[in-house]
Amino acid sequence: MSERRALVVGATGLTGRNAAEHLARSGWEVTGVSRKQGMDADGVRSLSADITDPASIAEVAQEVRASHVFYCTWSRQETEAGNIEVNGAMLRNVLEATGATGTLEHVGLVTGLKHYLGPFEAYAQNPAEPPFHETQPRLEYDNFYYTQEDILWDAAERFGFGWTVHRPHTVIGYTLGNAMNMGVTLAVYGALARETGIPFVFPGSPEQYDGTTDITDARLLAEHLVWAATTPEAANEAYNVTNGDTFHWREMWEAVAAGLGVEPAPYPGHPTPLEDRMGDAAAIWRRIAAREGLVEPDIDRLVSWWHTDSDLGRTVETHAAMAKSRAAGFTRLQDSRASFLDLFDRLRAEKVVPEEVDQG
């Protein structure tokens, strides 16, 4: 039996799935926990638990007796006060349960760049100046990421485990049924554009179209989580986690379009939000899925129009410095163009989106 027993919380999500798969490939004993369905991944044991219920997660914690916890989930609420209450309670329940086993050595908490941009209620209104650095002070807004950090630090002191906080930008990678998955959303958008002839136009703001930005490949984030959990010099710190390159969407949009087999439309100079344009998409997708034999006919389990609009509609530049990770020894880089193209290839191979069809 492996000496390293990982409990991945949120294992069916984008970050959790990729972390669990990477841990399993690296020889760890891995248990993935989620509230609903289990995950289908080689080497990953799947358990169900409701982490809003202390007794439910305590039962799992005693069974697994994890040495390492990777916390990769959140629950969206209507207000930031609700986010703080619910997401704070979920993390607290996990840490109390796993800390009480006496086996816990390390917790990796995944948050994100809203640490620097602000919560949804005040998103990008008074953000930090990019590139974002981990030493920048917290913003003057309530933010459930800040609450989670405080809960983590308190539990680490009481139970004696090490910790790291990981702040990715928009995460690109493979999973289904995730509410924050721009890569899959864009792949579905491309398939709809091929099917219906709607223009495949960049839906976001001029600032995002022409400004500097970055993304985070879920595979790289998984490597970063494991690196931090197994590198003593990295312990008890917060880290930005991005691919290590930057780009402009005016160029990346052409690469994304080519990867999806669709012509990029001219940018109109203003946002054209997907959520406003996709009212008929569900019925069209059911038709495509039936004809092409796709695995998921319910478009709502694939796309996040609202979240992609939020990412691409920012009116500020958004990119993060990776110098702190580099100095601590994490030197992995990922080409962002390849992050999209690799994902599109896998989505076609898994029959999530249709193969490219020559429309000429």
Side-chain angles (χ1 to χ4, degrees):
M1 179 180 293
S2 170
E3 295 180 358
R4 291 174 172 170
R5 298 180 303 279
L7 181 66
V8 180
V9 182
T12 57
L14 176 53
T15 297
R17 179 190 183 101
N18 282 271
E21 290 178 338
H22 179 67
L23 286 159
R25 288 193 299 268
S26 301
W28 289 55
E29 180 181 320
V30 185
T31 300
V33 63
S34 57
R35 187 174 62 178
K36 297 180 181 178
Q37 77 279 15
M39 67 176 296
D40 180 18
D42 291 341
V44 180
R45 178 191 185 200
S46 183
L47 294 176
S48 295
D50 179 0
I51 63 174
T52 66
D53 178 1
S56 179
I57 187 59
E59 182 178 350
V60 169
Q62 288 297 327
E63 180 177 347
V64 175
R65 301 187 67 79
S67 61
H68 294 71
V69 168
F70 300 92
Y71 191 90
C72 307
T73 191
W74 75 295
S75 176
R76 186 189 184 199
Q77 305 299 308
E78 291 297 322
T79 66
E80 194 60 18
N83 281 329
I84 289 169
E85 179 181 0
V86 172
N87 289 283
M90 292 194 309
L91 178 62
R92 186 179 293 110
N93 291 342
V94 170
L95 297 182
E96 292 296 324
T98 55
T101 65
T103 62
L104 188 58
E105 300 173 14
H106 178 90
V107 173
L109 168 65
V110 179
T111 61
L113 292 197
K114 286 194 295 296
H115 185 97
Y116 308 108
L117 290 165
F120 285 120
E121 291 173 7
Y123 193 55
Q125 291 182 12
N126 292 289
E129 288 292 327
F132 302 139
H133 294 272
E134 295 89 341
T135 55
Q136 288 169 315
R138 291 177 173 180
L139 303 179
E140 296 298 320
Y141 297 108
D142 290 336
N143 190 321
F144 83 86
Y145 287 169
Y146 304 163
T147 299
Q148 287 185 317
E149 287 186 345
D150 293 342
I151 290 169
L152 175 65
W153 298 337
D154 173 72
E157 183 174 357
R158 287 187 292 110
F159 291 114
F161 59 79
W163 58 269
T164 46
V165 175
H166 304 255
R167 300 170 184 164
H169 194 178
T170 301
V171 182
I172 302 298
Y174 180 80
T175 196
L176 305 181
N178 182 262
M180 300 173 64
N181 200 334
M182 179 197 287
V184 176
T185 299
L186 294 182
V188 171
Y189 177 27
L192 291 168
R194 291 203 316 273
E195 177 79 9
T196 66
I198 61 171
F200 189 70
V201 60
F202 178 76
S205 67
E207 291 85 356
Q208 288 298 300
Y209 190 69
D210 290 316
T212 301
T213 193
D214 54 19
I215 58 173
T216 303
D217 193 301
R219 299 168 299 184
L220 180 140
L221 176 54
E223 293 181 32
H224 195 275
L225 284 162
V226 176
W227 162 79
T230 57
T231 303
E233 296 78 12
N236 304 330
E237 297 286 348
Y239 295 97
N240 298 330
V241 192
T242 66
N243 283 355
D245 62 1
T246 58
F247 60 89
H248 299 90
W249 271 110
R250 64 173 182 267
E251 298 167 345
M252 186 64 80
W253 196 249
E254 295 184 1
V256 166
L260 295 172
V262 63
E263 286 294 322
Y267 181 60
H270 58 80
T272 54
L274 293 169
E275 195 162 29
D276 295 343
R277 299 168 56 208
M278 294 296 163
D280 298 328
I284 298 169
W285 188 257
R286 283 194 296 271
R287 183 179 74 219
I288 296 172
R291 187 186 68 224
E292 303 292 335
L294 303 182
V295 297
E296 182 52 73
D298 183 357
I299 199 170
D300 291 332
R301 283 189 45 78
L302 296 176
V303 304
S304 50
W305 305 127
W306 70 270
H307 193 266
T308 296
D309 285 339
S310 177
D311 269 346
L312 299 181
R314 300 185 194 116
T315 57
V316 296
E317 285 193 333
T318 305
H319 52 105
M322 281 290 288
K324 184 174 181 179
S325 286
R326 302 284 180 259
F330 185 81
T331 58
R332 171 86 155 80
L333 299 171
Q334 169 66 40
D335 179 82
S336 291
R337 181 176 179 273
S339 293
F340 284 108
L341 300 184
D342 290 352
L343 172 61
F344 299 158
D345 284 343
R346 183 169 182 186
L347 291 172
R348 285 187 285 264
E350 301 280 356
K351 300 290 288 184
V352 178
V353 299
E355 294 288 340
E356 297 175 22
V357 178
D358 185 358
Q359 300 294 320

